[in-house]
Amino acid sequence: MQVIKRDLVIIGGGPAGLAAAISARKNGLKDILLIERDKILGGILNQCIHDGFGLHTFREALTGPEYAQRYIDEFHKLGIEVMLETIVLSLDNNRQISVSSKEGFVKIQAGAVILSMGCRERTAGAISLPGTRPSGVYTAGAAQNFINLQNKQIGNRVVILGSGDIGLIMARRMTLEGATVAAVFELLPTPSGLARNVQQCLNDYDIPLFLSTSVFELHGTDRLTGVTVASVDETFQMIESTKRFVPCDTLLLSVGLIPENELSLGAGVNLEATTSGATVDDTYMTSVPGIFSCGNVLHVHDLVDHVSEEAALVGQSAVRYVTQKTVRDSASIPIEAKQDVRYVLPQTVSGKTDFTVSLRVTRPMANGVVMIKDKGRKVAGKKIVRLHPAEMIRVKVKAKNIETAEKLEVSVQC
Amino acid sequence: MENQYDVIIIGAGVVGNAIARELSKYSIRVAVIEKELDVSMGTSSRNSGVLHSGIHYKPGTLRARLDVLGNSLMADLCNDLKVKMNYLGKLTVAQDEEEVKSLYILKEQGQANGVPDLAILDTDAMRKIQPNVGGIKALHSPSTGIICPYSLTIALAENAYANGCHFYLGHRVTALSKQGDGFDVTASGKRFQSRVLINSAGLYSADICAMLGINDYKIYPCRGEYLILDKRLDGSLKVLVYPAPHKGKAGLGIHLTNTVSGNILIGPSNEYQDDPEDYACTARIMALLRKEGHELLPDLKTADFIRSFSGLRAKQTSPGKGGFEDFVIESREDVTGFVNLVGIESPGLTSSPAIALMVKDMVAKLLTLKRKETFEGTRSGMAGYFHQLPDEQKADLVSQNPDYGEVVCRCEQITKKEVLDAISNPLGVQTINGIKYRSRAMMGRCQGGFCLPRIVQILEKEFGYNPEDFLLKSKDSQLFLGKMRQDVV
């Protein structure tokens, strides 16, 4: 079987893969291959026809396809090699990749690999939704694909479970397309999506959002006829007296995203329980030397702008690995999530260069300070007026502040 | 007359289809009438997929005899039909001396039934087979196996069809009558006639009897719920592990079952229902199964539950009585030509090839059966899936047909060729679930999130589907209500 060699192989041509490839080329690497399973580049952005992308990067509100196109144009201008309609079947810890396409089976030996496969949606099965198994139950992303890319009317009367951003966007989309969105139900006491989406997608269209409420049963043997919903207490147990039937022919699920790390696991990459993504150092290298990770396969992001920024950094790191054959810095300093912080990323740093910590908080808070401390000594901090689990927070840390650090702890002080 | 047959079989489950295939070896006209849009839509696709060894059944019963015979016939049958199965073996594990006694009783019973190679193993020996298994002794039954139940049911139907049997899917039998030497059958408004009528209607078998004035039977649907686990856990179980029978414990108990596709099942529960179509999963049982799962598999994570389903057992024993009745398989003397199968619950899947032989002998007493020289018992294709082949063979196949190179279902690595084969199967496919059961696409951890939109595109572009044509499983289970926007010309 044919084995080809490339200095850098990037798996996935969505926003992370594109930005990583462009960055790697701009940092001087010639021999780059990007592998994409779809017919076109751009990943999930292609079905996100709403605007609001690129506010940070371009200071413009672009649609998903527009945002993707800027990167795709640059990618092609730089003449980077791409394999489309090609699926990676496996990756091993020596960075050998098996791919399949209509052209056949190929093995590729990569000098470095960037994982940018994105994530998948949590399903009705994954949340063990009781009841029947009728048609009309879709994940929000699949519904978005059918409506925006395939011109299919998926339903007339819609209930949305979960207030993740895609669910909120789909509530507005379904309304604009003439369907009635009966309500959005969210198990948690706070919305999972961005505040701006709650305002622009629900409030502006008078779509009710019920917090601490969930769907407890599906009804209908053929097509969905309705759902049983009820409020929950602090321990997420259903409050029997609040049970009610909501008639609908469609249920959209926006109940979380799961990084698609099956290939990573095959290569022996260590994953974090909190992010379901790889454990990385401040070069975004995983536990397997020469394999890097970025974008939603590393941790689920709030804004694509942050994905592009992170991926550009990873592209740079991968080039350094390929050209300088850098080994991992042995003295790695762990970073840990403490008070009110759900996760931090990277999980270890060398301490030799400046870096940015990405994190999410566990609950909504006001006027807080994200503190990064070394044995009680503040090494970095950031004042934030409104802290929310839906929003990713990024804090810059200077290398000179952590020269003697053994362990960094990240917490929120209100 | 076009709708005139020598034999009509009601119900296209594993038993009906096994009978259809057996009878397709002979020069007679055979038809199968099925109310659902596909074969294998009832109990046959909704079970553990276990080939039982036969240790659990009372010697001398049909269940004991047909199970042991069916089990022994399965390897050749699956080889011919290209259905994946595996004689994995089973440990029935005793936790204390009291339970050890029941193992010896089981062994004796199994031997009386003709179950091969049964052995009582001590702790060391049983842990050599399944490391870490709790308990003090176990009964090892090497002939216990696993099979994909719907693959078998579909394969039987396809092979019967290839040998001249007709299938009427989406035809619900509404009236039956004995007319002279034969039967008049009305199904979804269409009239059929046959000389022999075979009732393999499963959960509806008593209703079919009643249509002919036979009121001897009643079916009590008894639901079993299951959870399906991510393939990540494949390999956790080397063999099937069941608890030893225990006084006061009904059924075989909730347990883990390997599947030929690598997903472990947790289940089944045991709850009587009134409605023979109520395949709901309940919050209470799901929570119970999750709890059991965590106890039996310490490494199990919440994200490992990928789907739930339920099936209904066609029991003859009422909720008050419990337990099991023997299978009813009879050629009725009061209604000549009526071959009646009632209460074929577990081990119906394992017994199906043996039941088919028994029914064939009954039919031979009613009609002259002459071997057909054109009968072709093997099915083309492969057992299992493309991604399970060695790399070299895959590369060869892709160079012959590029559609093998295009992976449509990412989680299960199902290729476009396999999806196309499922769509173009000899019986045709009318539902998305039909494609799912045949190709395995949409059965992985993302549950079709990735591949359903792609399969919809294939059906639209290559098979001319309109938005309204997409059905999930039944004629009223539309996926789409129409176009979102009118086409711009």
Side-chain angles (χ1 to χ4, degrees):
Chain A
M1 199 176 304
Q2 195 190 353
V3 180
I4 59 174
K5 283 188 172 180
R6 291 290 182 273
D7 281 343
L8 173 62
V9 173
I10 298 162
I11 304 174
L18 285 167
I22 290 166
S23 159
R25 172 57 53 87
K26 284 183 170 171
N27 280 281
L29 196 67
K30 294 236 151 41
D31 191 24
I32 306 170
L33 168 64
L34 187 146
I35 303 171
E36 165 58 39
R37 64 189 180 188
D38 216 330
K39 290 182 174 68
I40 52 169
L41 292 170
I44 207 71
L45 285 173
N46 288 312
Q47 67 182 54
C48 302
I49 62 170
H50 54 282
D51 74 349
F53 299 92
L55 287 168
H56 293 243
T57 313
F58 300 111
R59 309 263 163 226
E60 282 179 74
L62 303 173
T63 64
E66 284 172 335
Y67 184 94
Q69 200 58 47
R70 296 207 176 181
Y71 286 87
I72 295 168
D73 288 345
E74 192 171 10
F75 177 90
H76 288 313
K77 214 167 76 194
L78 291 168
I80 304 169
E81 185 189 4
V82 60
M83 284 180 164
L84 293 172
E85 291 185 80
T86 303
I87 197 147
V88 174
L89 298 175
S90 66
L91 163 71
D92 70 17
N93 59 358
N94 291 315
R95 302 181 302 280
Q96 193 171 87
I97 302 166
S98 307
V99 305
S100 172
S101 74
K102 286 186 173 169
E103 273 79 55
F105 269 57
V106 184
K107 284 198 193 296
I108 305 163
Q109 181 58 54
V113 172
I114 296 177
L115 305 170
S116 51
M117 294 88 76
C119 51
R120 65 168 177 269
E121 296 179 282
R122 187 167 282 137
T123 65
I127 59 169
S128 295
L129 207 51
T132 53
R133 300 286 173 261
S135 66
V137 181
Y138 294 99
T139 56
Q144 191 177 46
N145 181 302
F146 284 129
I147 293 172
N148 293 347
L149 299 181
Q150 301 203 45
N151 194 19
K152 300 285 185 293
Q153 189 193 0
I154 59 160
N156 283 327
R157 189 178 158 83
V158 186
V159 161
I160 298 176
L161 174 60
S163 58
D165 286 311
I166 316 164
L168 302 177
I169 295 291
M170 286 310 294
R172 177 175 64 183
R173 170 60 47 206
M174 295 297 299
T175 307
L176 292 173
E177 298 288 3
T180 304
V181 178
V184 177
F185 298 104
E186 169 61 54
L187 177 72
L188 299 173
T190 54
S192 302
L194 297 169
R196 77 170 197 222
N197 283 334
V198 174
Q199 182 59 43
Q200 295 171 8
C201 300
L202 301 187
N203 299 351
D204 289 358
Y205 295 87
D206 293 328
I207 299 167
L209 168 64
F210 295 91
L211 298 170
S212 296
T213 308
S214 193
V215 170
F216 286 92
E217 195 176 352
L218 305 179
H219 300 273
T221 48
D222 301 304
R223 177 86 191 191
L224 185 72
T225 55
V227 293
T228 299
V229 303
S231 306
V232 297
D233 61 21
E234 303 78 51
T235 61
F236 304 118
Q237 296 305 303
M238 179 180 67
I239 303 168
E240 192 72 33
S241 60
T242 62
K243 250 168 107 170
R244 59 194 191 275
F245 179 78
V246 180
C248 59
D249 60 18
T250 307
L251 174 69
L252 300 188
L253 298 167
S254 177
V255 290
L257 300 170
I258 304 167
E260 294 231 81
N261 272 304
E262 280 70 31
L263 286 175
S264 326
L265 285 169
V269 168
N270 185 49
L271 300 188
E272 290 287 313
T274 46
T275 56
S276 301
T279 307
V280 290
D281 61 19
D282 51 338
T283 70
Y284 287 78
M285 187 151 82
T286 68
S287 60
V288 178
I291 299 182
F292 297 80
S293 180
C294 61
N296 276 357
V297 77
L298 178 60
H299 58 138
V300 176
H301 290 61
D302 52 350
L303 300 177
V304 71
D305 305 68
H306 290 151
V307 170
S308 302
E309 195 185 325
E310 180 180 280
L313 178 79
V314 177
Q316 205 179 339
S317 302
V319 173
R320 210 161 45 230
Y321 178 86
V322 171
T323 55
Q324 301 173 10
K325 294 279 172 232
T326 43
V327 203
R328 190 194 306 278
D329 288 310
S330 53
S332 282
I333 306 162
I335 313 181
E336 287 175 9
K338 292 290 174 186
Q339 178 74 44
D340 290 323
V341 177
R342 190 161 73 80
Y343 75 80
V344 291
L345 200 127
Q347 288 82 15
T348 56
V349 293
S350 66
K352 300 205 169 64
T353 48
D354 297 352
F355 63 95
T356 301
V357 172
S358 298
L359 64 108
R360 290 206 193 222
V361 295
T362 53
R363 61 187 178 100
M365 286 167 279
N367 300 314
V369 182
V370 176
M371 291 290 273
I372 304 181
K373 287 182 176 173
D374 164 37
K375 295 188 289 285
R377 179 181 62 93
K378 178 185 167 186
V379 297
K382 188 178 190 176
K383 265 189 206 163
I384 299 171
V385 179
R386 224 183 58 90
L387 298 105
H388 197 278
E391 288 173 31
M392 207 169 87
I393 296 167
R394 293 155 70 80
V395 183
K396 289 197 168 89
V397 182
K398 293 245 178 276
K400 66 174 168 42
N401 289 344
I402 58 164
E403 277 164 359
T404 58
E406 284 166 18
K407 185 169 87 173
L408 300 178
E409 295 185 333
V410 185
S411 61
V412 179
Q413 291 175 2
C414 286
Chain B
M1 193 175 116
E2 192 203 340
N3 296 337
Q4 213 154 32
Y5 291 93
D6 294 308
V7 178
I8 283 179
I9 300 163
I10 302 172
V14 70
V15 172
N17 293 350
I19 296 169
R21 179 187 183 257
E22 190 57 41
L23 293 179
S24 73
K25 293 175 181 171
Y26 301 90
S27 297
I28 47 171
R29 277 173 59 82
V30 181
V32 179
I33 299 179
E34 165 58 48
K35 68 178 165 52
E36 300 297 331
L37 294 179
D38 204 348
V39 303
S40 196
M41 289 294 282
T43 311
S44 301
S45 63
R46 299 164 167 276
N47 58 72
S48 305
V50 171
L51 296 174
H52 294 286
S53 67
I55 53 174
H56 284 287
Y57 319 118
K58 209 170 132 197
T61 60
L62 281 177
R63 290 173 84 218
R65 181 162 72 78
L66 297 172
D67 178 86
V68 175
L69 178 60
N71 183 302
S72 72
L73 293 171
M74 211 49 100
D76 285 346
L77 181 64
C78 288
N79 189 43
D80 285 349
L81 295 180
K82 309 288 188 298
V83 174
K84 223 178 160 189
M85 61 86 65
N86 181 0
Y87 287 117
L88 202 64
K90 176 173 102 171
L91 293 175
T92 305
V93 182
Q95 302 298 332
D96 54 38
E97 287 305 328
E98 195 60 32
E99 290 188 351
V100 170
K101 279 184 206 157
S102 72
L103 292 186
Y104 283 94
I105 296 169
L106 269 187
K107 185 182 171 214
E108 215 167 284
Q109 179 169 275
Q111 282 167 336
N113 290 339
V115 180
D117 306 323
L118 294 174
I120 304 273
L121 306 181
D122 62 16
T123 317
D124 284 351
M126 77 187 196
R127 291 205 179 135
K128 254 181 212 140
I129 292 174
Q130 175 67 46
N132 303 326
V133 65
I136 55 172
K137 275 190 178 175
L139 173 61
H140 185 224
S141 49
S143 66
T144 304
I146 54 173
I147 188 169
C148 176
Y150 40 87
S151 295
L152 175 65
T153 309
I154 289 165
L156 286 165
E158 281 188 17
N159 192 238
Y161 179 84
N163 286 296
C165 176
H166 291 181
F167 280 80
Y168 294 89
L169 303 175
H171 285 69
R172 181 185 286 270
V173 172
T174 50
L176 291 173
S177 62
K178 176 91 191 170
Q179 297 289 341
D181 276 350
F183 296 87
D184 260 10
V185 180
T186 309
S188 296
K190 202 180 276 178
R191 295 272 302 278
F192 300 85
Q193 282 173 335
S194 75
R195 293 163 67 198
V196 171
L197 183 66
I198 300 174
N199 174 14
S200 58
L203 292 156
Y204 288 88
S205 52
D207 302 84
I208 294 296
C209 287
M211 287 183 195
L212 287 170
I214 300 166
N215 296 308
D216 308 354
Y217 305 107
K218 182 163 168 57
I219 294 294
Y220 301 90
C222 181
R223 190 163 65 198
E225 295 184 33
Y226 296 84
L227 297 179
I228 307 176
L229 300 185
D230 194 292
K231 277 174 150 174
R232 184 182 80 77
L233 295 150
D234 188 22
S236 314
L237 290 176
K238 310 284 176 237
V239 293
L240 301 175
V241 179
Y242 282 48
H246 202 94
K247 267 184 202 138
K249 241 191 322 196
L252 295 173
I254 288 168
H255 51 266
L256 303 176
T257 306
N258 305 42
T259 64
V260 286
S261 47
N263 306 91
I264 291 175
L265 303 177
I266 307 178
S269 53
N270 228 324
E271 310 275 313
Y272 280 94
Q273 297 305 128
D274 294 330
D275 181 356
E277 308 252 335
D278 188 354
Y279 294 116
C281 295
T282 61
R284 187 176 69 81
I285 299 288
M286 287 166 100
L288 187 77
L289 295 179
R290 276 199 301 273
K291 187 167 157 283
E292 291 272 346
H294 284 295
E295 279 167 19
L296 294 164
L297 283 173
D299 184 34
L300 190 62
K301 296 186 173 70
T302 315
D304 292 324
F305 298 103
I306 65 169
R307 191 175 173 92
S308 57
F309 72 95
S310 70
L312 294 167
R313 307 169 180 90
K315 290 193 86 72
Q316 293 181 80
T317 48
S318 66
K321 196 176 172 204
F324 300 89
E325 286 275 342
D326 201 11
F327 295 158
V328 172
I329 301 173
E330 59 183 7
S331 188
R332 295 287 296 203
E333 281 170 16
D334 51 347
V335 187
T336 319
F338 184 53
V339 178
N340 191 29
L341 291 80
V342 181
I344 315 293
E345 54 161 315
S346 181
L349 175 66
T350 317
S351 305
S352 56
I355 294 175
L357 289 175
M358 185 175 167
V359 169
K360 184 262 294 171
D361 289 342
M362 290 175 171
V363 174
K365 293 200 175 105
L366 299 162
L367 300 173
T368 313
L369 292 186
K370 207 176 109 227
R371 275 274 184 180
K372 201 155 69 182
E373 277 174 21
T374 53
F375 176 76
E376 175 51 64
T378 56
R379 189 164 155 259
S380 61
M382 55 181 141
Y385 303 94
F386 175 78
H387 75 89
Q388 297 164 325
L389 297 172
D391 279 0
E392 288 67 29
Q393 209 178 333
K394 282 195 239 182
D396 267 3
L397 281 170
V398 176
S399 65
Q400 285 166 32
N401 190 333
D403 286 337
Y404 274 124
E406 189 179 336
V407 174
V408 172
C409 165
R410 199 203 69 85
C411 301
E412 296 296 306
Q413 296 194 359
I414 302 300
T415 65
K416 184 175 175 188
K417 176 68 166 66
E418 291 169 290
V419 171
L420 292 174
D421 286 348
I423 298 170
S424 317
N425 85 80
L427 289 168
V429 76
Q430 303 184 55
T431 63
I432 293 294
N433 278 355
I435 299 170
K436 172 169 136 173
Y437 284 137
R438 285 171 178 81
S439 68
R440 222 190 135 65
M442 301 173 276
M443 283 198 179
R445 49 177 75 91
C446 93
Q447 289 288 298
F450 178 75
C451 62
L452 177 60
R454 278 161 174 76
I455 290 167
V456 164
Q457 262 174 348
I458 291 171
L459 288 168
E460 192 168 62
K461 292 199 173 124
E462 299 181 28
F463 294 85
Y465 272 48
N466 292 312
E468 299 80 4
D469 298 337
F470 293 91
L471 303 176
L472 179 64
K473 56 181 177 182
S474 54
K475 72 175 175 36
D476 294 318
S477 66
Q478 274 79 9
L479 246 51
F480 311 117
L481 306 182
K483 286 181 178 170
M484 197 90 242
R485 299 165 285 273
Q486 290 313 300
D487 291 325
V488 179
V489 182

